[in-house]
Amino acid sequence: MKLLRYGTSGQEKPAVLAADGKIHDLSGTIMDVAGEFLLLEWIEKLRNLDVSRLPTLQGEPRIGPCVGGVGKFICIGLNYSDHAKEAGMGVPSEPVIFMKATSSICGPDDDVIIPRGSKKTDWEVELGVVIGKPGKYIEEADALSHVAGYCVINDISERAFQMEGTGQWVKGKSADTFGPIGPWLVTPDEVPDPQNLDMWLEVDGHRYQNGSTRTMVFGVAFLISYLSRFMSLRTGDIISTGTPPGVGFGLKPPVYLRPGNRMRLGIGGLGEQNQAVVAD
């Protein structure tokens, strides 16, 4: 099942993408793709709906972030060995954790805004994991049962803000629009193996990233278990699991985003994002 949210920013309504490509409104069934409606019992109820009886959306409404009410936006750095190499850093012995401000979250096709003073805004296609069942001290063998679904994330990063000066990653990752999420929240029944998903990203039609979750250093189940040692994971939390090689700052010479660029990115089975880059 592919859940989504549509409408103007801050007023999104829940919906479901049917097998025929039509979008059906869910607002008469659930309040939002958020909170308790991400728990397994609600996911099962939604899966058993006859979506053909639901109202069909007309036209091309804005698609918003696929999850609402996000509590924590947790990111994993250097989680692909070839990306760590292009960054000039060693493969970490344990996951590198940082947070991204939830105010960075936007829709998958919303404009990406380069913040004032930025000279090194970069791209990163990543697999997003949304927590359904909450927990702490989660066993790795049980970790995937805590997943409500998976989604595409573009972990936009301002490299000078991130790595120069005092080198604070959260500062370089948290500008408004630096967290496009979606288009869909794809439930686990459609993603039997999150470690076997192709992923890619293009800027102005040029393919820069072309990777797979097969090459993650730390897999999804391990990350959920590991994170739950240090913080409780709650319903609606998002884990962004790292990026494969091909980011702008790893190129020789580096390439960074500028106003007028267009990004297109996707993950197999999870949909695509399309973003125009604009100046603040």
Side-chain angles (χ1 to χ4, degrees), residues 4-15 23 57-67 104-111 177 179-181 183 274:
L4 63 143
R5 300 166 73 245
Y6 74 96
T8 57
S9 180
Q11 301 181 41
E12 291 92 350
K13 296 180 179 180
I23 297 175
L57 301 192
Q58 304 299 319
E60 297 184 1
R62 169 187 173 269
I63 303 301
C66 60
V67 180
S104 70
I105 293 173
C106 65
D109 301 331
D110 290 346
D111 291 348
T177 75
I181 295 174
N274 290 271

Side-chain angles (χ1 to χ4, degrees), residues 180-241:
I181 295 174
W184 315 313
L185 177 67
V186 182
T187 52
D189 57 295
E190 293 196 20
V191 188
D193 184 2
Q195 304 307 146
N196 190 27
L197 301 173
D198 293 330
M199 53 205 308
W200 53 271
L201 182 144
E202 298 175 352
V203 180
D204 294 339
H206 180 82
R207 181 71 59 98
Y208 283 100
Q209 291 189 274
N210 206 22
S212 169
T213 58
R214 290 187 296 274
T215 65
M216 277 186 187
V217 178
F218 305 105
V220 171
F222 179 85
L223 290 173
I224 292 170
S225 176
Y226 181 84
L227 289 168
S228 75
R229 300 181 206 169
F230 308 105
M231 64 192 83
S232 62
L233 295 178
R234 297 182 176 177
T235 304
D237 286 349
I238 296 175
I239 305 169
S240 197
T241 57

Side-chain angles (χ1 to χ4, degrees), residues 39 131-136 138 146 232-235:
L39 296 173
I131 297 298
K133 182 173 67 175
K136 60 181 180 178
I138 298 167
H146 290 258
S232 62
L233 295 178
R234 297 182 176 177
T235 304

Side-chain angles (χ1 to χ4, degrees), residues 73-100:
F73 197 168
I74 311 164
C75 300
I76 307 299
L78 305 174
N79 197 29
Y80 289 73
S81 57
D82 34 12
H83 171 57
K85 182 178 179 180
E86 73 174 351
M89 302 178 187
V91 176
S93 59
E94 59 183 297
V96 174
I97 305 169
F98 62 95
M99 296 289 192
K100 198 173 178 85

